[in-house]
Amino acid sequence: MNRSALHALSAIACLALASPAAARMTEGEAARLGADLTPTGAERAGNAAGTIPAWDGGLAVPLPGIVPGTSRPDPYPDDKPLFRITAANLDQYRGQLSDGQAAMLKRYAGTYYMNVYPTRRSAALPPAIYAAIKAQASRTELADGGNGINNLGQSTVPFPQPKTGQEAIWNHLVRYRGEAIDRRVLQAVVQGNGSYAPVIIRDMISFRPSFAGRPDLDNTLFMDVQRVLAPQRLAGTALLAIDAVNQVLEARQAWVYNAGMRRVLRAPEVAYDNPGTAADGARTTDNYDMYNGAIDRYDWKLIGKRETYVPYNANRIDARALKYDDIIRPGHLNPEHLRYELHRVWTVEATLKEGQRHIYAKRVFYLDEDTWSALAIDHYDGRGQLWRVAEGHLLQYTEATVPLYAVEVLYDLNDDRYLAFGMNNEEPYELNFDWRAEDGFYTPSNLRRFSN
């Protein structure tokens, strides 16, 4: 069936659904962006208690003292923890914690805690990105039953004031992460005793803003090449993935290079709950970037906004003076290097649709109102039991005006293993936001060349 026929069938199918266009932002609502709302749709004002400050533009200019290969300066070096949440005082703060955080505090009562620091609304994006968000805010709408977006343009927040769970999760999927990035990072599957075998991955991603002016890439969300550099037994294994804005109309395209066979193979299984690259079954493919990929297997419910203690301003764990062994501990990351703050987050519940398959029967997302990054996700199994707890430790990379995870961690409550992805402390170069892919880089033939 050709693409035109697929579009026609999708249009017919959507007539039978509640119209997603009903949630489109009005021009009057869009006018609030940059006024009482921030340019990304967050509340500009602080909270009544004064524990969340007003947004003042965030860290919109590079911090002085950034030198490639050295520590990125901490913008808040004099901040001290306001208090510490432990298993002993958990009930006092329970209303501002996720179920996953509470479970972690109880399970690792002797070693795990949360240091809570003053809230710093550091999030900032480039002015051109803010302008694109506002320009499209009253035009963007869900398509194909919510599985795609019409009139996205170059917006990175298609729904600044979401009215449905689908709209909110799309904000996470499309959020601004720069134009492109070349990074060399650690992936570690940590056993219950704290042992791990370091897997070093080179990750080279181009995001939608870098495709401006390319009509042929109008339905492209991102392109990603990952190559395993170490250990030797996995070295050379590589993955190419190209994601569409609407994956129902145009499914993810993926290829893998098998170093042992020296062949590039199509990989339609690189999606949903299939195992993540070189992760020993500790994460699914859609656990990458906290959550990625098509949203069609779940029903999405917008619970609302709440104040929650979430990982934020993760400069301490990013310090190059730290070694991986300083950060990785049995059961969980070393809590002394983690920073939590009180922020407003959108809560979204995803429940597996009848007749669909996924190892996670339910997920609960906590999306930062300032960046739309998922800062925490609780994953439930088919019995309704809390299984895996994810956290995204967010850092404002001021040299590029980009909010991005310094590390993602996925804790498994069933077997005490966890996976940490994204740390760069011991790698020979910092994240490169100025890198741009040459034409033909994201092709199967280049994947073979890149892997050798």
Side-chain angles (χ1 to χ4, degrees), residues 189-205:
V189 177
V190 185
Q191 306 302 320
N193 62 3
S195 65
Y196 65 98
V199 176
I200 306 301
I201 294 176
R202 188 176 183 187
D203 198 14
M204 306 174 78
I205 320 169

Side-chain angles (χ1 to χ4, degrees), residues 130-160:
Y130 289 147
I133 293 169
K134 189 165 186 173
Q136 292 298 125
S138 61
R139 305 173 190 173
T140 308
E141 61 184 359
L142 294 176
D144 296 302
N147 295 312
I149 304 176
N150 285 335
N151 305 317
L152 178 60
Q154 287 301 308
S155 177
T156 54
V157 183
F159 307 106

Side-chain angles (χ1 to χ4, degrees), residues 308-326:
T308 305
Y309 295 112
V310 288
Y312 225 93
N313 292 309
N315 294 80
R316 284 169 170 78
I317 201 171
D318 180 63
R320 295 186 75 83
L322 292 178
K323 303 298 183 184
Y324 296 138
D325 287 347
D326 297 325

Side-chain angles (χ1 to χ4, degrees), residues 85 87 145 221 226 280 307 327 376 391 404 422 435:
I85 304 175
L221 188 58
Q226 295 181 351
D280 194 27
E307 297 179 1
I327 300 169
E391 287 190 331
L404 194 70
W435 172 82

